Structure formats: C-alpha cells, structure tokens
Amino acid sequence: MKILQGKTALITGSTSGIGLSIAHAMAEAGANIVLNGFGDLEEIKKIQNDIHDKHKTKVIYSPADVSSGQQVQKMVEDAITAFKQIDIIVNNAGIQFVSPIVDFPEEKWNSILAINLSSAFKLIKTTLPGMLTQNWGRIINIASAHGLIASPYKSAYIAAKHGLVGLTKAVALEIAETNVTCNAICPGYVRTPLVEKQIAEQAKVHNISEDRVVKEILLKSQPSKKFIGSDHVAQLAVFLCSPAGSSMTGEIVSMDGGWTAQ
Ligand code: NAD
C-alpha cells in the first residue's frame, strides 16, 4: 500500500515548476491530485494524462486564480465533489517581481501579497474544518529562503514569504493537538520558469551572459553552487505527509544548499 493511497492532495500552482514536481511525487505516493495554475489548456490536459498514466491516480484540474477568495472556494467545492474530501493542501502558487522599492508598482505589490500570501490564508481557512472533522490533514506552505532572510529589490516577495512563515507557525499552534499539521518548506534557488525569467532579466539589466548571472548573482548566495532539484523539494513535501512527518508541525524546513547557514 502506498503511503498516500486514498488521500487527495490539492496543490496550487501545479501546472509548472515545483508545484508540478509535487503533484507527480504525491501521485507516485498514491494520492489523487487537484492540479491548479495557469497555462495552455492542451498542455495542462497532457500533464493531467501524464500523471494519471504514470501513477494510476485520478487527477482533476482547477483553473482558479488563487488571489480570488471566490475562485478558491469554487476550487475546493469542485475537489470535494470529485474526491469527497481534501487531505493535503500545498500552498505553492507564487510570482516574483524585482525592482527597487521606490519604483515598485503598487499593483505588483498587491498581486504578490495576494498570490504568495493571502491565497494560503484563504485555502487554509476553507479546508481546515474538513481536515479537523476527518481527523487527519497536512498543510504545506512553499515559502522560500527569502522567508527567512532578505536580498535587495524583492521587497514584496520577501514580505510575503516572511508572512507565510509566520502564518505557518500561527496555524500550527492553533491546531497543535489535532492530527492536522502545518509546515513550511523554504527552498533556495530551483531552476523553474520563475527563475528562468529572473535570469533573463538580470542578464539584460547587467549586460552580462545568463551563465554569469547564474554563477555571479543567483548561486553566489547558495554555498552548494548548485540549483535545488524541484523533485527534491517534492520528496520533502511527501515526507511531511508520511507517518514520520506527523511529529513535525510549525516547522520551517530549509532546503537551500547551505544558503541560510551563512
Ligand atoms: P513557476 O513559475 O514555475 O510556477 C508557478 C505556478 O503558480 C504556475 O503553475 C503558475 O501558473 C501558478 N500561478 C501563478 N499565479 C497564480 C494564480 N494567481 N493562481 C493560481 N496559480 C497561479 O514557479 P516555481 O519556481 O515553481 O515557484 C513555485 C513556488 O515556489 C512559488 O511560491 C515560489 O515563490 C516558490 N519558490 C521558488 C523558488 C525557485 O527558486 N524557483 C525558490 C523558493 C521558493
């Protein structure tokens, strides 16, 4: 019997990058999957079929924009209609925008806070009652090394990720005596579309090659000098749902190649 057999995992922002790896890893562990995120509908259909064919679990897709409370509510209702209950949520959807604070557009600040932080509040608030009733649940928030330390020009992202770390601890304490846990994972740099965009932008700004951006800017802060594998982050998320993970709650777990050890 696989460890997540019969469970349902809803992963926000799972059409790409880290979320997609988590969807595969949780399906491999036996969970039915609620995929969410943006993208080309044919590509998303292919992802759905691919997960189903490889791992033989059921996969539904919700196009919800997680910055909207109504759309989060609809996504949860659709998931419950399909699978009766939600056992695991992974608050993973996120965006980035890099700019000095004096030029930071207010609408970018608002959307980063809405997508990277407030969406987690909304999804936790909507799904926690069901988890408490069924007496088992796992809440996993994908924060960042930037939830623990800062870098310049990423004020909104860093504020949101520090907020997500705080939210994780507060929720964990509220439900500490139950069988529902709430933890955060703080990855260092993972080479996903979100980071590819930053590499291209930084190359333009500094007029240097993308290779130099990777070595001299991004991986400069990561002592391992290697990107973190999105599949490694995904395996950590599965671990938090395993029996051994049941003693972990309110934990802020880094996977950052030594970044925050400095
Ligand atoms: P990505 O761009 O590959 O994926 C982001 C996903 O979020 C996509 O599926 C996208 O469609 C979805 N999304 C964006 N806005 C949304 C919205 N309003 N509603 C629903 N879905 C939305 O990025 P990634 O690198 O895989 O990032 C995933 C998470 O990991 C983010 O929270 C990010 O901050 C965090 N993270 C990434 C890194 C990294 O180096 N890549 C490091 C630490 C933390």
Side-chain angles (χ1 to χ4, degrees):
M1 171 113 167
K2 295 180 174 181
I3 61 166
L4 299 183
Q5 198 81 46
K7 305 277 192 221
T8 296
L10 185 162
I11 304 127
T12 67
S14 45
T15 52
S16 165
I18 295 171
L20 179 55
S21 291
I22 294 174
H24 270 285
M26 296 227 168
E28 190 178 17
N32 293 321
I33 301 295
V34 182
L35 274 183
N36 161 255
F38 301 145
D40 176 74
L41 284 182
E42 274 188 23
E43 284 298 314
I44 293 170
K45 190 77 207 155
K46 273 192 211 150
I47 292 175
Q48 246 178 295
N49 291 340
D50 188 36
I51 296 175
H52 172 73
D53 294 347
K54 277 195 181 125
H55 311 298
K56 309 292 172 230
T57 56
K58 291 188 189 134
V59 185
I60 64 162
Y61 166 66
S62 162
D65 176 339
V66 295
S67 64
S68 152
Q70 274 178 345
Q71 293 187 37
V72 167
Q73 177 73 39
K74 168 91 171 57
M75 171 168 65
V76 168
E77 285 166 9
D78 290 348
I80 289 172
T81 303
F83 299 124
K84 295 202 173 65
Q85 64 184 48
I86 298 169
D87 304 282
I88 299 162
I89 57 167
V90 184
N91 287 302
N92 167 78
I95 57 168
Q96 174 63 286
F97 188 79
V98 181
S99 158
I101 190 146
V102 289
D103 301 324
F104 213 98
E106 200 172 325
E107 69 275 13
K108 287 282 180 199
W109 170 274
N110 289 337
S111 48
I112 289 178
L113 270 285
I115 295 167
N116 297 20
L117 176 59
S118 301
S119 68
F121 159 73
K122 289 170 187 158
L123 187 59
I124 293 168
K125 187 175 151 92
T126 313
T127 54
L128 182 57
M131 291 181 187
L132 293 173
T133 304
Q134 74 219 22
N135 197 30
W136 194 92
R138 294 286 176 269
I139 299 167
I140 301 172
N141 297 324
I142 305 301
S144 167
H146 280 132
L148 299 168
I149 52 168
S151 304
Y153 312 124
K154 295 182 176 175
S155 52
Y157 186 85
I158 285 161
K161 294 297 186 182
H162 275 67
L164 192 55
V165 164
L167 176 69
T168 302
K169 293 179 186 175
V171 171
L173 292 181
E174 275 186 40
I175 56 173
E177 291 184 24
T178 72
N179 286 324
V180 182
T181 66
C182 178
N183 293 290
I185 297 178
C186 293
Y189 282 110
V190 183
R191 197 154 190 170
T192 64
L194 181 140
V195 165
E196 291 293 354
K197 190 165 163 264
Q198 282 180 63
I199 296 172
E201 284 167 2
Q202 293 286 309
K204 256 196 203 155
V205 170
H206 299 285
N207 197 22
I208 55 174
S209 69
E210 295 197 358
D211 271 359
R212 279 188 64 193
V213 171
V214 168
K215 283 198 189 104
E216 295 170 23
I217 301 177
L218 296 195
L219 295 185
K220 191 170 168 237
S221 33
Q222 215 153 275
S224 63
K225 304 294 175 214
K226 286 194 284 282
F227 283 103
I228 308 300
S230 64
D231 54 331
H232 295 177
V233 178
Q235 289 303 328
L236 179 53
V238 171
F239 174 80
L240 291 173
C241 300
S242 73
S246 65
S247 296
M248 296 178 72
T249 198
E251 317 280 2
I252 311 304
V253 189
S254 288
M255 185 182 264
D256 65 10
W259 185 350
T260 51
Q262 297 168 103

